[in-house]
Amino acid sequence: MLADIDYNFGLHATTIPARSGVMGVCRMTGLSYVDSGLSCDTFNIIHVFSGNEFEKQELTDAVRHFRKRNLDFCIWVSRENLTPQVRACFEALELDIQGEEVGMVLDLDDYEPIDKLGHVNIQKVNTREHLIQYAEVIARNWNPADENVIRYYETTAALYLDTDTGIELFLYLHEGVPVAGVEMFPSNDEVAGLYGLATLEAYRGKGIGFALMTHALNTAKASGYKRMILQASEDGIGIYKKLGFRELTNYFEYS
């Protein structure tokens, strides 16, 4: 199951950029990196996926790539892949830890679907208009809103709306106003990941995030997925545990 989390994370970071035709994806022995062309560490990601096969020069080249282009970026690495060699390379490149999240998994055979009144307010994103609304909600997680996030989704809109990818985006509408969103991203027919669960500040504490989360889990189970994975912030761990998620690892963010 540890492999499920890291594999899904890597696919999520690289799949859309690789198909965009305008963004760069480079896969090396122990890491991959994505250059979205935007100065945005939400999408410019270096993912260390094999600490045992990791080569110092690979990370050095990837970091220099972003620094030379003066683009914000971040590095994600799981606890298992943060080997002494990797940690020493981070220190040599003067990279500091910026955050930590918990990798979690839910066995959907053990999950009983939850019905919430708020589910009627959830719209599956299937038009460009809804996609841009989704992007604006995600962008407003920052103050001021991160315009790079909106540009990213504008550039990749056709790919997100292509049903063949299996990606599903959900938007919560409060009295017709988009206020929250979440993404469900599949690895294969059995495993999917949840990403970017976000609710605008003025609408938090009203159960909207929980409604989105349970709607996504209900959808995943009905679609035949067996496991759901996610990376949880400290604030969300308690809620996810109540839904049946188990902690498997930690992810560290460096920049």
Side-chain angles (χ1 to χ4, degrees):
M1 289 189 183
L2 281 171
D4 286 341
I5 295 179
D6 219 39
Y7 182 65
N8 188 271
F9 181 90
L11 279 182
H12 180 259
T14 60
T15 297
I16 293 297
R19 297 181 184 181
S20 71
V22 296
M23 300 177 186
V25 175
C26 183
R27 187 176 179 90
M28 303 182 191
T29 306
L31 62 85
S32 62
Y33 72 83
V34 176
D35 180 351
S36 68
L38 304 165
S39 192
C40 183
D41 62 10
T42 301
F43 305 111
N44 294 339
I45 294 174
I46 300 173
H47 174 215
V48 178
F49 57 77
S50 179
N52 293 326
E53 297 179 301
F54 171 87
E55 295 182 12
K56 180 179 179 180
Q57 192 59 48
E58 292 182 344
L59 181 62
T60 301
D61 290 344
V63 170
R64 284 177 177 169
H65 170 87
F66 290 110
R67 287 177 173 171
K68 184 177 181 180
R69 297 196 64 196
N70 197 30
L71 296 176
D72 290 339
F73 69 95
C74 68
I75 302 171
W76 283 92
V77 58
S78 69
R79 180 178 60 216
E80 291 71 25
N81 286 312
L82 189 57
T83 62
Q85 181 187 6
V86 172
R87 194 185 298 272
C89 190
F90 287 171
E91 292 175 357
L93 291 167
E94 299 181 336
L95 296 163
D96 297 316
I97 191 167
Q98 303 296 323
E100 180 179 346
E101 295 189 350
V102 179
M104 307 185 79
V105 64
L106 170 66
D107 187 335
L108 287 168
D109 285 341
D110 297 331
Y111 170 76
E112 291 297 327
I114 297 172
D115 291 325
K116 299 288 290 182
L117 290 176
H119 289 171
V120 299
N121 299 317
I122 297 172
Q123 166 73 51
K124 182 177 177 179
V125 173
N126 52 22
T127 68
R128 185 179 178 88
E129 178 185 5
H130 285 141
L131 181 64
I132 299 307
Q133 290 174 340
Y134 174 90
E136 290 172 346
V137 167
I138 302 302
R140 288 171 64 187
N141 269 308
W142 292 267
N143 187 16
D146 189 343
E147 294 297 324
N148 287 308
V149 172
I150 297 173
R151 285 196 286 271
Y152 176 87
Y153 284 103
E154 287 176 338
T155 301
T156 58
L159 295 168
Y160 277 102
L161 295 173
D162 181 355
T163 56
D164 288 341
T165 64
I167 301 170
E168 295 187 74
L169 305 178
F170 300 106
L171 193 61
Y172 190 102
L173 305 177
H174 177 77
E175 297 179 353
V177 177
V179 300
V182 72
E183 174 183 355
M184 188 163 70
F185 183 94
S187 296
N188 47 47
D189 293 340
E190 292 194 352
V191 181
L194 289 177
Y195 293 90
L197 179 63
T199 304
L200 297 183
E201 187 175 2
Y203 297 90
R204 293 172 189 167
K206 302 179 184 296
I208 291 174
F210 188 80
L212 266 175
M213 186 75 180
T214 52
H215 176 80
L217 293 178
N218 294 355
T219 301
K221 180 158 183 149
S223 299
Y225 291 109
K226 299 299 183 184
R227 294 182 299 283
M228 184 66 73
I229 62 98
L230 54 76
Q231 288 82 43
S233 64
E234 185 177 349
D235 292 341
I237 292 175
I239 294 174
Y240 300 139
K241 283 184 174 180
K242 287 180 181 179
L243 289 169
F245 279 88
R246 295 181 288 113
E247 297 183 37
L248 285 186
T249 188
N250 290 76
Y251 272 87
F252 303 97
E253 179 185 359
Y254 283 79
S255 66

